[in-house]
Amino acid sequence: MTQLMGRPILEVPGELGARPALADLLAGVRTALVGLAAVGVPVLGLWVATPYADDGATGATRLAGALWLLGHGAPLLRGSAGAPLTVTPLLIGLLAVVQLFRAGARVSARRGLRSWWGGPVAVWAGYCGVAVAVVVHCAGAGLFRTRVLPDVLAVGLLAAFAVTAGARSTREVRETDEPYEVHEPYEVREPYGPYTPYEPHVPDDSGVLGTAFASRLLDRLPERARPADCAETVRRAALAAGAGLVAAGGVLVAVAAVSDAVTGGGRGMAVLGRGPTAVLGLVLLAVVLLPNAVLWGAAYALGPGFAVGEGTAVAPGGTALGPVPDFPLFALLPESGPGGWRLAAIALPALAGVVPAVLLGRAAARRAWYPAATAVAAVLAALLTGAAAAALGWLSGGALAGGRMARLGPVPWWAGLAAAGWFVVVVVPGALLVRLRALGPAARTPGAGVLADLAGHARRTGWQLRARAHAAVLRLSGSAPEPSEGVS
């Protein structure tokens, strides 16, 4: 019994031993099937509830597979004419990213030995295998048709990004943990060893946003304009700015919905005459596309707005619309004409810049950044926010059909420039004011202390020169006081 306890445990299945690559492959397959079921169950339920469905069960499964692929950013063809359909339902895409992220984190967290083909790579391969089967199933004739190579590439890229992010997050957490000491059995150790102080793991924060290019750019700046250890602060400020813009878009969508229900004549209620199944399908589709509408609202608040077809514009300065599809979210669009009171929407990005300004200003006061370095960090956060706004604007838009409806959503580069410009104007002075208030009148930067010392020395020199000049005048006039005894 003692010999058995002293031997290492080998080939134990589960989390104590090596996890086979087949288990990781099946984890990727399971992740894809769960996401596909989340889309397919409502579609099949609506097909069952429809009394006179045009297609059979095969058509319903093809529709569910097409929606699942569309949520990954895969382009589809619609109708017999092959009209492009590239508007990504972001709620389905967000669900897929969260599932893949968690799957990559779970597999990477297991410490069993595995080959190169195990772990996150096997999860990605299993997920892509299900995607290939769905693409092949939806490639034939029907209402929605897939494009085999672009669709597989789109799903593969998204899965690789999400799984890699999940695996990296687990590795970063693991690197911060103290390693366990592995001792041989029956090893005699001293009861008290030498004391070694605990040194927490400090991540490498030399480069802004983890990029060597940004680090080299900052190294070329003067010392007063170089914010030290600013990567985490810049990321947090950019995340706060992005959250503020998303909140602004959500507020505009909610205000538009309430306004349409109260004063707009209930344009969104016109679909109720199509029957309960059609209404439920449209409501589910509107919920799936709600994140797209929120991002369009954020682009509206930034100023450039968005388009709902070629030759259209929806912006605070004015709206120019033509015929639009009969869809509940399109009923929330403002009427054509000048903006009027809707120009107040451009105040929302200014409010969204308050939290990033506070974060940057407090970090500048805590880390003793110069004003120029504070401004540089604020500009970096604004540029990162602009890049994210451009990417999200591109993801939220696309084509609904050919011809006039080939362009929907914001113009990505306009949205990015507007977001970066707004936050440069708002966050830079705001961060400087918060920094000045946090430092207070008693605290000074090193440069301010040198200037204060020079000013004090100049004042003392001036008082000495004035006293000597006064004494010289008294001596020349003969009225200088005689020195008293005992005073040298």
Side-chain angles (χ1 to χ4, degrees):
M1 185 67 182
T2 306
Q3 294 177 355
L4 291 177
M5 293 178 62
R7 295 178 182 177
I9 300 175
L10 299 177
E11 301 296 331
V12 177
E15 305 220 355
L16 293 178
R19 181 178 175 87
L22 180 59
D24 297 333
L25 187 70
L26 293 178
V29 172
R30 182 177 65 248
T31 302
L33 291 179
V34 169
L36 192 58
V39 180
V41 169
V43 172
L44 292 176
L46 290 174
W47 172 75
V48 171
T50 303
Y52 303 103
D54 296 334
D55 297 332
T58 303
T61 56
R62 285 170 56 88
L63 177 60
L67 288 176
W68 184 74
L69 292 173
L70 196 62
H72 291 74
L76 299 178
L77 300 176
R78 187 170 69 88
S80 58
L85 179 61
T86 58
V87 177
T88 303
L90 292 182
L91 187 61
I92 299 177
L94 182 62
L95 175 64
V97 169
V98 170
Q99 286 183 318
L100 287 166
F101 183 91
R102 294 180 61 184
R106 282 196 305 266
V107 171
S108 181
R110 296 186 174 97
R111 297 177 180 269
L113 298 176
R114 58 171 66 91
S115 64
W116 169 252
W117 298 109
V121 177
V123 172
W124 175 84
Y127 196 92
C128 290
V130 176
V132 170
V134 174
V135 168
V136 172
H137 177 64
C138 301
L143 180 60
F144 298 104
R145 302 193 308 277
T146 57
R147 301 168 60 187
V148 177
L149 184 58
D151 292 351
V152 172
L153 287 177
V155 176
L157 289 176
L158 181 67
F161 169 77
V163 172
T164 304
R168 288 190 61 182
S169 66
T170 306
R171 290 171 187 170
E172 290 175 0
V173 172
R174 188 184 303 168
E175 288 175 359
T176 60
D177 297 336
E178 288 293 322
Y180 293 98
E181 295 184 3
V182 180
H183 308 305
E184 295 294 333
Y186 307 107
E187 181 181 357
V188 179
R189 299 180 60 87
E190 294 295 333
Y192 299 100
Y195 172 74
T196 56
Y198 173 73
E199 296 181 358
H201 174 76
V202 179
D204 186 11
D205 202 22
S206 58
V208 177
L209 311 178
T211 59
F213 177 72
S215 178
R216 288 196 297 267
L217 287 181
L218 285 181
D219 290 340
R220 296 181 180 180
L221 294 177
E223 183 180 358
R224 291 178 176 271
R226 190 186 310 150
D229 299 331
C230 66
E232 184 63 27
T233 303
V234 168
R235 283 193 291 263
R236 290 177 58 193
L239 286 175
L245 285 180
V246 171
V251 168
L252 289 180
V253 172
V255 169
V258 172
S259 176
D260 178 72
V262 174
T263 63
R267 292 177 297 166
M269 307 297 291
V271 298
L272 291 179
R274 299 182 181 180
T277 306
V279 171
L280 183 59
L282 287 175
V283 169
L284 290 177
L285 187 57
V287 170
V288 167
L289 291 173
L290 188 59
N292 300 63
V294 170
L295 293 179
W296 292 11
Y300 184 91
L302 288 172
F306 55 91
V308 191
E310 293 289 345
T312 63
V314 182
T319 301
L321 282 178
V324 295
D326 193 6
F327 187 66
L329 289 180
F330 288 158
L332 305 182
L333 296 174
E335 298 287 348
S336 297
W341 62 271
R342 298 184 181 90
L343 285 171
I346 63 177
L348 294 176
L351 295 177
V354 173
V355 175
V358 172
L359 292 176
L360 288 169
R362 290 180 177 177
R366 185 171 59 253
R367 299 177 183 179
W369 290 347
Y370 291 99
T374 306
V376 168
V379 170
L380 288 175
L383 293 177
L384 184 59
T385 306
L392 291 176
W394 175 72
L395 289 174
S396 65
L400 192 60
R404 184 176 178 274
M405 300 305 293
R407 178 172 172 263
L408 281 84
V411 179
W413 65 275
W414 268 119
L417 285 178
W422 264 111
F423 285 109
V424 165
V425 171
V426 175
V427 176
V428 172
L432 292 175
L433 288 176
V434 172
R435 171 189 173 275
L436 183 62
R437 184 177 180 83
L439 288 175
R444 298 186 180 93
T445 60
V450 172
L451 292 177
D453 294 341
L454 292 176
H457 182 70
R459 285 195 298 269
R460 288 192 297 270
T461 304
W463 282 109
Q464 291 175 0
L465 290 176
R466 182 179 177 182
R468 290 174 183 176
H470 182 68
V473 171
L474 291 179
R475 290 193 192 96
L476 291 177
S477 62
S479 57
E482 294 292 337
S484 60
E485 294 183 2
V487 178
S488 58

